[in-house]
Amino acid sequence: MDDRETDLLRLTTAGSVDDGKSTLIGRLLYDTRSVPDDQLAAVERATRRRGGTGIDLSLLTDGLRAEREQGITIDVAYRYFSTPRRKFIIADTPGHVQYTRNMVTGASTADLAVVLVDAGRGVLTQSKRHGFIASLLRIPHLVVAVNKMDAVGWSAAVFEAIVAEYREFAEKLGIGSLDFIPVSALHGDNVATRSDRLPWYDGPTLLHYLENVHLGAGRNLVDFRFPVQYVIRSSRGYRGLAGRVASGTLTPGEEVAVLPAGTATRVRSIATMDGPVAEAAMGDSVVVTLEDEIDVGRGDMLVRRMNLPAVARRCDAVLCWLGDAPLDSGIPYILRHTTRTVRARVTRLLHRIDVDTLHRERVSTLGTNDIGRVELTTAQPICSDPYRANRETGSFVLVDPFTHATVAAGMIRGEVRPSTPPPGAERGGAEASPNVAWEGWNIPRAEREARAGHRAAVIWLTGLPGAGKTTLARALERELFARGCQTMLLDGDQLRHGLTGDLGFSEEDRRENVRRVGEVARLFFEQGSIVLCSLVSPFRRDRDRVRELLPEGTFFEVYVECDVEECRRRDPKGLYARADRGEVLELTGVSSPYEPPEHPELVARTDRESVAAVVARLLEHLGERGILGSAHAG
């Protein structure tokens, strides 16, 4: 990779109150000799005025007098330092719950996040919050600096316990790179120099890690995207398109398309302030000229003809709400995406994400610091990629049209297909055949629920073969039916005698099996039934897709957990015995993987609980969640 891609590291730091974040940043600045002499002298004087001795390194970063007096950092600040190997920009973002929006702002362009954990206090809710936001923003690298090791006697056991707890949480987030470093920012141990007081740790110091971490993971060097910022014209007929390459590369002579119009042309030349260049790469500010005289303006985007982003007026996105006033779906906000500015409305609020538990909650609006999933409709099309693939073209901000304040930062998940029903239809993003339009339900589900006296729901029982899914589903349905509920049981084996009889047990076929069952379950759901689905469904992603078909709070994932040896002992269909003889080649739990639910609504340990006890718990849960009416609650 080109040196220009690797000599600058943008990192963000986050920590809870008193975790020592300001001291850590001050230590990095001090130990890399990045503090001017006059500023250092001022900090020494300020330290003496506060009754201290030497240098209070936290004062190198706490720039506001009010925060010094309160002992709290309350602002996002940017700090700069360098070493012979690399230049660094630090976004210092506070870790208080009410300042989540500051972390989103500071971390939006980061290559790496440093989360501080106080060794004495351990992993706090805020520590998890920072990790979640880092994963949400697709920051490629996360480093957990376990600080104040001096306060716990340099204990390896304390460090290892924190590592184990945080790693267990982080497994739910899909973070690409996660590392842990024990430090004492106050004394400088393992910050810039290796500590003799931590002989049990053989990893790098924090500075060595920052100097050597690979930066290519979060940068899209494949998909060429060039948002036009300005059109340069001259009296001699010169016409150049100025902007910054958002991703990918471009060379003269390449064929490109101008979006959203889709007009094709070729690149004549590429130039910088220093003259013509043979290639433009991600991050370069250049002027591009085209072979043909075509209409191009600010907000248009140059792309390769065979590598196109989505061009659409509707998108599925995650919003981090930054505004003081709550989200108002009636306001036509100003959406700023790359160099394009359009009006946009939030036409559907799917759910809010509880950043502490990662659960999804049904809400009517988003408030300050809330994070939620929405559907947006724009007045004109925007050219976007999913944020996971391209952080530049997958992100946007919303601006209040009256106050001109930035009220939200957004990450695009993908395009909302035109066939997806309008808001209020309460149907998730399943695929549809081409050239069809969505028609609303003839009899709305609410009417059916009112007549049945209970709400519709889908209860999805997943687990290893032989765990007891069908037994539980049959017992639960019988109890619901006896109480007068409208039910439907979709059992995996029964469905493979018809609906999915053409499918085998490859990974692809298993995914298709779950997709079909999910669609059928949704139809019975809209008919007002309590639908019980009993099938192995081994992959989390497939089960999550079924969840997304349904309104928040109506999908109940039940993990039917059972020790595999007990499943083997039961072996009601002889599958394990046949797998051992080599007659069944793809048996979940033996020769094919199973991914347990991360956040099931309920766990049923059928090797420890009776069927009656589990059914009673399920009925109680459905009653508490408002699915069962008073006449059916028992």
Side-chain angles (χ1 to χ4, degrees):
M1 184 180 293
D2 196 303
D3 287 344
R4 61 188 168 187
E5 297 291 343
T6 60
D7 64 0
L8 176 62
L9 171 65
R10 295 178 176 87
L11 65 143
T12 183
T13 59
S16 304
V17 178
D18 296 329
D19 276 350
K21 180 166 55 64
S22 295
T23 301
L24 178 69
I25 297 173
R27 172 64 65 182
L28 280 171
L29 298 176
Y30 183 77
D31 286 357
T32 57
R33 295 180 173 83
S34 301
V35 185
D37 291 341
D38 57 342
Q39 185 180 353
L40 199 58
V43 170
E44 289 176 341
R45 292 193 296 270
T47 302
R48 290 194 295 271
R49 285 198 301 270
R50 293 164 61 116
T53 58
I55 300 176
D56 184 345
L57 295 174
S58 68
L59 299 183
L60 290 173
T61 54
D62 286 350
L64 302 176
R65 179 170 299 176
E67 68 188 15
R68 291 183 186 178
E69 293 171 354
Q70 298 173 28
I72 300 175
T73 305
I74 60 172
D75 192 23
V76 178
Y78 293 90
R79 310 294 172 184
Y80 306 85
F81 72 98
S82 63
T83 68
R85 293 187 62 90
R86 183 169 276 172
K87 297 176 183 177
F88 303 89
I89 300 176
I90 304 177
D92 180 13
T93 56
H96 313 75
V97 173
Q98 62 267 40
Y99 298 118
T100 297
R101 59 185 180 184
N102 285 350
M103 183 178 177
V104 171
T105 302
S108 60
T109 60
D111 303 300
L112 180 147
V114 178
V115 173
L116 261 76
V117 173
D118 185 327
R121 293 189 294 172
V123 178
L124 303 178
T125 297
Q126 291 93 325
S127 310
K128 296 179 179 179
R129 180 185 300 269
H130 305 322
F132 170 68
I133 295 175
S135 70
L136 184 71
L137 295 173
R138 299 278 174 175
I139 298 177
H141 305 280
L142 180 64
V143 180
V144 178
V146 182
N147 192 25
K148 302 187 181 181
M149 289 299 300
D150 53 303
V152 295
W154 314 99
S155 169
V158 170
F159 175 74
E160 289 167 0
I162 290 172
V163 169
E165 182 178 356
Y166 203 92
R167 195 180 293 280
E168 180 182 6
F169 166 76
E171 286 176 355
K172 308 170 186 176
L173 303 178
I175 295 172
S177 167
L178 176 64
D179 293 278
F180 299 83
I181 301 176
V183 302
S184 171
L186 181 63
H187 300 289
D189 297 80
N190 272 0
V191 179
T193 56
R194 180 170 295 279
S195 173
D196 295 332
R197 292 179 281 201
L198 296 163
W200 43 266
Y201 173 74
D202 58 1
T205 65
L206 178 60
L207 182 60
H208 184 271
Y209 181 91
L210 297 178
E211 285 181 321
N212 292 278
V213 66
H214 174 64
L215 298 183
R219 294 172 177 171
N220 188 326
L221 304 176
V222 176
D223 303 318
F224 172 67
R225 306 288 186 259
F226 182 74
V228 177
Q229 184 173 5
Y230 186 72
V231 179
I232 302 173
R233 295 180 174 87
S234 73
S235 57
R236 298 182 179 179
Y238 176 84
R239 194 162 177 265
L241 310 178
R244 188 175 70 88
V245 180
S247 62
T249 61
L250 183 70
T251 58
E254 286 197 68
E255 190 173 20
V256 294
V258 180
L259 299 180
T263 310
T265 184
R266 288 189 179 274
V267 175
R268 174 181 294 167
S269 67
I270 305 172
T272 68
M273 292 183 62
D274 299 322
V277 294
E279 182 184 63
M282 177 181 175
D284 289 346
S285 294
V286 297
V287 176
V288 177
T289 64
L290 304 177
E291 293 285 0
D292 303 299
E293 290 289 334
I294 57 178
D295 185 22
V296 185
R298 176 180 172 85
D300 290 341
M301 185 180 290
L302 299 187
V303 301
R304 287 195 179 90
R305 285 193 63 195
M306 304 305 292
N307 183 349
L308 303 176
V311 181
R313 292 181 57 245
R314 297 181 65 196
C315 68
D316 179 354
V318 172
L319 278 188
C320 299
W321 196 256
L322 315 177
D324 294 323
L327 165 67
D328 185 345
S329 58
I331 293 179
Y333 292 102
I334 299 170
L335 183 145
R336 291 179 177 163
H337 172 262
T338 61
T339 59
R340 194 168 182 80
T341 300
V342 299
R343 292 281 182 163
R345 290 180 184 269
V346 176
T347 47
R348 190 179 182 195
L349 173 55
L350 293 150
H351 56 253
R352 179 177 64 192
I353 303 169
D354 185 322
V355 297
D356 299 328
T357 65
L358 305 184
H359 290 167
R360 291 175 281 192
E361 304 169 335
R362 295 188 70 181
V363 292
S364 59
T365 188
L366 298 177
T368 307
N369 298 308
D370 281 348
I371 298 173
R373 184 176 167 191
V374 303
E375 286 182 7
L376 281 169
T377 301
T378 57
Q380 291 87 37
I382 59 172
C383 310
S384 67
D385 298 286
Y387 184 81
R388 67 178 180 275
N390 196 321
R391 292 168 69 182
E392 292 286 335
T393 59
S395 60
F396 63 88
V397 296
L398 292 182
V399 176
D400 188 300
F402 307 109
T403 65
H404 300 287
T406 300
V407 294
M411 288 143 282
I412 295 171
R413 289 168 51 92
E415 175 188 356
V416 176
R417 296 177 181 271
S419 57
T420 302
E426 292 189 321
R427 179 181 184 273
E431 294 185 358
S433 299
N435 304 315
V436 298
W438 174 258
E439 295 288 345
W441 302 107
N442 184 40
I443 301 174
R445 174 167 36 85
E447 292 185 29
R448 298 178 184 273
E449 290 176 332
R451 188 170 73 172
H454 62 78
R455 291 177 56 204
V458 172
I459 302 169
W460 193 278
L461 296 96
T462 175
L464 292 174
K469 300 179 295 299
T470 298
T471 302
L472 277 181
R474 286 175 173 268
L476 178 58
E477 187 192 29
R478 174 57 64 183
E479 182 62 33
L480 289 169
F481 184 78
R483 297 186 182 196
C485 296
Q486 186 168 288
T487 66
M488 174 53 68
L489 172 58
L490 302 176
D491 182 74
D493 285 345
Q494 290 179 335
L495 294 171
R496 282 188 177 272
H497 282 76
L499 178 70
T500 61
D502 60 321
L503 300 177
F505 293 90
S506 66
E507 181 173 328
E508 182 180 351
D509 281 357
R510 289 179 189 273
R511 294 187 187 283
E512 174 61 15
N513 181 56
V514 173
R515 189 194 71 80
R516 291 186 196 179
V517 177
E519 287 290 347
V520 173
R522 181 188 61 80
L523 293 175
F524 279 110
F525 169 82
E526 292 295 348
Q527 191 241 352
S529 294
I530 297 177
V531 189
L532 296 95
C533 301
S534 169
L535 59 163
V536 173
S537 48
F539 303 115
R540 294 192 194 102
R541 183 174 62 180
D542 301 328
R543 300 191 300 264
D544 287 343
R545 284 175 178 167
V546 178
R547 182 188 291 272
E548 291 176 0
L549 293 174
L550 303 162
E552 191 72 22
T554 61
F555 180 88
F556 298 85
E557 188 176 30
V558 178
Y559 177 27
V560 184
E561 186 176 5
C562 184
D563 183 77
V564 68
E565 292 306 317
E566 174 63 18
C567 293
R568 280 181 170 277
R569 188 191 67 77
R570 295 174 181 173
D571 203 8
K573 300 166 186 173
L575 292 175
Y576 289 96
R578 293 177 61 195
D580 291 340
R581 294 195 300 269
E583 298 172 9
V584 177
L585 301 180
E586 294 173 302
L587 180 64
T588 304
V590 177
S591 54
S592 183
Y594 177 78
E595 299 172 355
E598 294 181 335
H599 304 290
E601 276 69 20
L602 196 130
V603 177
R605 288 301 306 261
T606 57
D607 53 355
R608 300 179 185 177
E609 296 180 274
S610 68
V611 171
V614 175
V615 168
R617 283 204 294 126
L618 282 164
L619 290 169
E620 181 181 5
H621 188 78
L622 294 175
E624 291 173 349
R625 296 300 183 273
I627 300 301
L628 302 181
S630 57
H632 305 95

